[in-house]
Amino acid sequence: VSDPLLARLRDVVGAAQVLTDPDVLATYGTDWTRRFHGAPRFVVRPGGTAELAAVLAECHAAGVPVVPQGGNTSLVGGATPAAGEAVLSLARLDDLGEIDVVAGDVLAGAGVTLARLQETARAHGLRFGVDLASRDSATLGGMAATNAGGIHVLRHGMMRAQVAGIEAVLADGSVLSRLSLAGKDNTGYDLASLLVGSEGTLAVISRLRLRLVPDPPHRAVALAGFATLADLLATVAHVRDALPSLEAAALVREHTGVGAPLQGDWPLYVLFEAAGREPQELLLAEAVLDAPVPPGDAVVAADGPTQARLWAYRERHTESVNAAGVPHKFDVAVPLGALAEFVAKVEPGIRAHAPAARVITFGHVAEGNLHVNVLGVPDEAEHAVAESVLGLVAGLGGSISAEHGIGLAKRDWLHLTRPPADIAAMRALKAALDGRGILNPNVLFPAPG
Ligand code: 2HG
Ligand code: ZN
């Protein structure tokens, strides 16, 4: 191809790192759920910050929009290009520094996978506070850019809480560097925090300084079955207050293809996980069974393989839903006091527009965060279904995205939970840092027109 931009990019990153093969482009142009598609103009894979900066400077000068992409595991179309846009793959920014056990942190390239960081940290008696099912593919840069949540938010918070410093490249190729080794830094705008959750619209994250936490030697996992949501919520509140070592309280709804977890069939299950310096099995069992209305049935596992088997009931939801069709995903949060009303109303609301739809709900119950996955939504009902779920959430004082972000999937509903002044301030930031609008131009803000 004789495109002058491509020739310049080949000079920067090497010919092998500018991809134009249509089959290859198609994989970068399709999101993990297969709901969003784009035909990228090319894919460019810089090998370090200097190359990334030079690539952005070239694309900026040519006015070619770029969509940053890490492991392509977004569940909201956050890394899918529109036709004619380029994909900027960060996969090759995969340097992982030495773990600093004294400071309890590490310097990692944006393209390092979560699983690799977890493995390396564990070898030093540490771990990373965020964990999620797509750990083998999800990359740290994308996780920071989307402020990913995951299964241990209850204990360690979301991605923002783990980021101690950031290096990022602006649209025009200038490099921001806040990777300072100083333990404390109170010198003006916190650019790292601003970029976390900005979904690739303000800058492209190239490196991160990430906090690590101690890896507790003892861990226990319990799975408990409940007859009603009221009983379940009362037990979760009790366990959360009784057990400071609680790491997760996850709502499990379906157990596709893994065999029944407990004797009897329960409409609702919660998976609890606790970790600490003392053995956790009895502490967790006691906390669960001491609840005002204890679960109908429960198992507790102290050994790794059984724990992994119990976690599989929770973690496999996403892949089994994907195997059954192309899902519409609603990652929402409502105040705990409104959870029962949400659960009672959400399905009838969807069915009013898509009578044959299948609704699978699971999530992170302690945070009021539900993942409402809907299969079998006809194209013509798409808008009305989203309106009904997200409108219900907003009416109950919740958030239309608890942890996956806005992406393409929810941009038209941002106004439901962000007031006009918020959106105007976000647009002003976008215009100030990316005046030509080349960075991930389609996500976050409502579609024009
Ligand atoms: C999870 O909690 C992830 O497992 C994915 O956030 C949720 O597939 C989903 O909707
Ligand atoms: Zn989740």
Side-chain angles (χ1 to χ4, degrees):
V1 188
S2 65
D3 182 333
L5 174 61
L6 288 185
R8 284 197 294 275
L9 293 176
R10 287 186 179 113
D11 281 348
V12 173
V13 296
Q17 304 304 342
V18 180
L19 316 179
T20 54
D21 179 277
D23 289 343
V24 175
L25 295 187
T27 66
Y28 285 88
T30 305
D31 81 304
W32 191 82
T33 67
R34 298 151 297 161
R35 187 177 158 204
F36 302 100
H37 304 272
R41 176 168 165 163
F42 57 84
V43 176
V44 55
R45 296 166 31 101
T49 305
E51 285 188 13
L52 170 61
V55 164
L56 279 169
E58 292 293 355
C59 292
H60 187 253
V64 171
V66 296
V67 174
Q69 197 177 96
N72 200 12
T73 56
S74 172
L75 298 177
V76 292
T80 306
E85 295 172 356
V87 169
L88 177 56
S89 167
L90 286 314
R92 292 179 64 231
L93 273 67
D94 63 350
D95 277 351
L96 182 57
E98 290 287 315
I99 304 272
D100 184 336
V101 285
V102 176
D105 67 18
V106 67
L107 202 57
V112 172
T113 63
L114 172 59
R116 189 170 149 220
L117 175 62
Q118 293 285 21
E119 217 169 279
T120 310
R122 266 198 299 270
H124 290 80
L126 295 167
R127 80 194 159 115
F128 186 55
V130 171
D131 195 14
L132 32 82
S134 55
R135 56 185 73 81
D136 290 325
S137 314
T139 58
L140 299 167
M143 288 173 61
T146 57
N147 189 25
I151 57 181
H152 291 146
V153 171
L154 181 61
R155 181 86 177 258
H156 299 296
M158 308 216 337
M159 203 57 194
R160 179 171 285 113
Q162 330 301 325
V163 175
I166 258 181
E167 178 193 80
V169 184
L170 293 176
D172 66 1
S174 40
V175 178
L176 303 177
S177 190
R178 297 302 307 155
L179 290 171
S180 141
L181 282 167
K184 290 167 95 173
D185 175 19
N186 195 16
T187 56
Y189 293 172
D190 184 353
L191 295 175
S193 194
L194 177 66
L195 296 186
V196 174
S198 66
E199 303 193 16
T201 61
L202 299 180
V204 179
I205 297 170
S206 47
R207 285 196 296 166
L208 304 121
R209 181 168 298 282
L210 294 170
R211 301 191 173 94
L212 300 170
V213 294
D215 190 14
H218 297 284
R219 189 170 288 278
V221 174
L223 189 73
F226 295 89
T228 71
L229 187 61
D231 294 353
L232 180 158
L233 289 172
T235 304
V236 168
H238 174 83
V239 175
R240 184 197 59 210
D241 295 346
L243 204 61
S245 58
L246 192 67
E247 303 228 309
L251 182 66
V252 181
R253 203 52 187 278
E254 285 230 319
H255 39 92
T256 327
V258 231
L262 299 176
Q263 287 177 344
D265 228 356
W266 300 94
L268 298 160
Y269 297 87
V270 175
L271 182 146
F272 294 100
E273 183 174 40
R277 287 182 177 284
E278 299 80 39
Q280 297 293 305
E281 194 181 2
L282 282 178
L283 294 174
L284 180 57
E286 228 170 70
V288 172
L289 297 175
D290 271 2
V293 192
D297 193 6
V299 286
V300 183
D303 68 288
T306 316
Q307 291 174 4
R309 201 171 55 80
L310 293 182
W311 262 116
Y313 290 112
R314 170 61 179 77
E315 289 206 321
R316 285 198 193 160
H317 284 62
T318 302
E319 62 186 74
S320 32
V321 166
N322 233 44
V326 176
H328 283 65
K329 287 183 176 286
F330 299 101
D331 154 45
V332 300
V334 291
L336 282 179
L339 203 74
E341 184 178 345
F342 177 78
V343 169
K345 290 185 175 167
V346 69
E347 230 174 289
I350 295 167
R351 289 252 158 67
H353 307 286
R358 208 175 133 206
V359 183
I360 301 120
T361 303
F362 55 102
H364 313 272
V365 68
E367 294 101 71
N369 177 189
L370 295 182
H371 295 308
V372 182
N373 278 246
V374 190
L375 288 167
V377 180
D379 287 353
E380 62 280 8
E382 215 166 61
H383 193 87
V385 164
E387 196 80 33
S388 119
V389 178
L390 302 177
L392 176 62
V393 167
L396 294 172
S399 170
I400 65 163
S401 174
E403 57 172 0
H404 298 167
I406 297 294
L408 298 174
K410 292 184 188 162
R411 59 185 175 160
D412 291 335
W413 289 275
L414 185 64
H415 66 277
L416 286 179
T417 53
R418 301 298 301 259
D422 282 28
I423 297 178
M426 290 199 270
R427 281 195 190 278
L429 283 167
K430 169 76 173 163
L433 295 184
D434 178 21
R436 297 194 77 174
I438 67 155
L439 292 181
N440 216 6
N442 304 303
V443 300
L444 196 49
F445 298 107

